[in-house]
Amino acid sequence: MRIMVVACLYTVASGLPALGQLTITNPDETKSPSNVRQVSLTTPPSINTPIPAQPPPSHQLRIRVQFMEVDQATREAIYAGLGADTLRTSTNLPLENSQDSNSKTLNNFPTKSDAVTRTTALVTQAVLTTAEVAGILKMTEASRNSIIADAPNLLLLNNNKIELTDMIQRPFVVNHEKQGDEIRPILQHIDEGTRVGIIARIDSPTISTKKHFQIGCEIVSRRLIETRTDFLYGLGTDPLRVQIPHLQVTTARATANLAYGQTLLVDPHVTSTRSFRSETSVPFLGKLPYVGRSFKNVAVTTHDQHLIVLLHPAPMSEN
């Protein structure tokens, strides 16, 4: 995406290439401003109940998803404009690992080692009007260090789940094994990126002319924050070098009741760092062929960006 949700993806220390990903873009979008780009996402099928062959249109929903990566100044301006009465932030303490064991005998002693980093999770959500959404998008487009991306419109069956996934696989040499007289490295592929799961239900599909929705959103962010080098002993006279990737997985969940025309904002408190290229030039001289580059100044700056997701639900009968 020139986004997403999606953090700045970099190459691992091993120099091994990342595996490819399938992409889906929205052909209906018109040309966007310079800081707006299409998001590339994969869309797996619904994972809940089986899909009927021809469900009635009143039981279908269309969800438009927009991803924003905004800098800190824009984020603060958005929340200041919405006000404290609109926003709600929930904080969840880290869960204990189910594999933790205070075993007293060898019968229940764990046989595998693990390393887990626990941190408190936060999610901010708000139910927005059309005017509030327009104001947020205007502020984001006006920021030189913020990005907007539209995902393909999603079609959901009533009370069924669908997912958008933007992941790549990164290979790491995490072990070695002896095969005959040779010692070969063992690769482990780690998914990095963002996955958004959405489930929605129409409360009044036929009785009321003003539709109401219940919507749930789960945002999973998988980010490689560090790759440490360590050594493996016991397979030869010399220690073997291995990579220890440190992966941070953040899961944010939000639910809300919406009326037709309202939008759900979800901020999973996920931050990434992105580089921006800016160019300034001397008026007139900077536009001269060949010699103009001597009167230009190119600067690359990095900014922390915060992911914000907007969900716009509507019944198919309103399309």
Side-chain angles (χ1 to χ4, degrees):
M1 318 178 243
R2 194 192 152 149
I3 170 181
M4 180 177 161
V5 100
V6 170
C8 181
L9 299 175
Y10 47 87
T11 305
V12 297
S14 66
L16 294 172
L19 299 185
Q21 69 178 66
L22 297 176
T23 60
I24 298 177
T25 56
N26 185 357
D28 298 330
E29 292 295 324
T30 57
K31 186 175 180 181
S32 304
S34 58
N35 67 330
V36 180
R37 64 190 175 93
Q38 290 293 332
V39 61
S40 298
L41 296 166
T42 60
T43 53
S46 172
I47 62 174
N48 280 10
T49 55
I51 300 177
Q54 293 182 343
S58 61
H59 289 174
Q60 287 183 327
L61 301 92
R62 176 175 58 86
I63 305 287
R64 182 189 177 196
V65 184
Q66 288 184 299
F67 298 94
M68 300 188 300
E69 284 186 356
V70 300
D71 58 18
Q72 181 61 28
T74 304
R75 187 194 197 197
E76 292 178 355
I78 289 173
Y79 288 163
L82 293 177
D85 294 337
T86 303
L87 301 168
R88 180 167 66 88
T89 300
S90 59
T91 302
N92 300 104
L93 296 177
L95 300 175
E96 290 296 322
N97 187 353
S98 60
Q99 295 183 353
D100 285 351
S101 173
N102 295 322
S103 57
K104 298 184 189 223
T105 70
L106 285 177
N107 292 332
N108 58 4
F109 188 80
T111 59
K112 293 184 178 180
S113 302
D114 58 20
V116 178
T117 301
R118 300 188 181 97
T119 181
T120 300
L122 291 85
V123 59
T124 297
Q125 66 182 81
V127 177
L128 309 178
T129 64
T130 303
E132 289 171 331
V133 172
I136 288 174
L137 296 178
K138 186 175 181 180
M139 279 190 286
T140 304
E141 291 176 357
S143 171
R144 298 181 62 181
N145 303 321
S146 299
I147 302 168
I148 305 173
D150 279 340
N153 288 340
L154 305 180
L155 298 181
L156 283 77
L157 286 177
N158 197 19
N159 207 28
N160 277 250
K161 185 179 181 181
I162 196 168
E163 289 187 347
L164 296 173
T165 303
D166 183 21
M167 293 277 184
I168 65 170
Q169 287 190 327
R170 298 194 175 278
F172 297 89
V173 179
V174 297
N175 202 347
H176 290 76
E177 64 179 354
K178 196 167 185 177
Q179 296 181 352
D181 295 333
E182 294 185 2
I183 297 177
R184 297 184 179 181
I186 297 177
L187 293 181
Q188 179 182 13
H189 291 86
I190 293 182
D191 291 334
E192 185 182 19
T194 305
R195 183 175 70 250
V196 179
I198 304 168
I199 186 168
R201 180 171 63 215
I202 303 177
D203 283 344
S204 52
T206 57
I207 300 175
S208 174
T209 57
K210 188 173 183 180
K211 302 294 188 296
H212 293 269
F213 308 89
Q214 291 182 3
I215 189 168
C217 177
E218 179 183 77
I219 302 174
V220 179
S221 172
R222 298 170 55 89
R223 299 177 187 275
L224 188 69
I225 58 176
E226 180 187 5
T227 302
R228 183 167 57 87
T229 299
D230 212 323
F231 294 92
L232 184 69
Y233 301 91
L235 287 181
T237 56
D238 297 325
L240 300 173
R241 188 184 299 269
V242 293
Q243 295 173 303
I244 310 297
H246 288 200
L247 186 69
Q248 178 177 308
V249 181
T250 302
T251 302
R253 299 180 180 91
T255 60
N257 296 321
L258 282 73
Y260 175 61
Q262 291 181 322
T263 294
L264 177 62
L265 176 149
V266 183
D267 179 352
H269 289 254
V270 171
T271 304
S272 60
T273 302
R274 187 180 292 275
S275 298
F276 290 86
R277 182 178 182 272
S278 60
E279 182 179 289
T280 57
S281 61
V282 178
F284 180 71
L285 296 178
K287 297 182 179 180
L288 294 176
Y290 305 109
V291 298
R293 66 186 63 181
S294 300
F295 298 94
K296 293 181 180 180
N297 181 38
V298 178
V300 177
T301 58
T302 58
H303 298 272
D304 287 339
Q305 291 187 299
H306 305 272
L307 173 65
I308 296 178
V309 179
L310 299 178
L311 304 178
H312 312 270
M316 290 296 293
S317 58
E318 297 293 338
N319 288 346

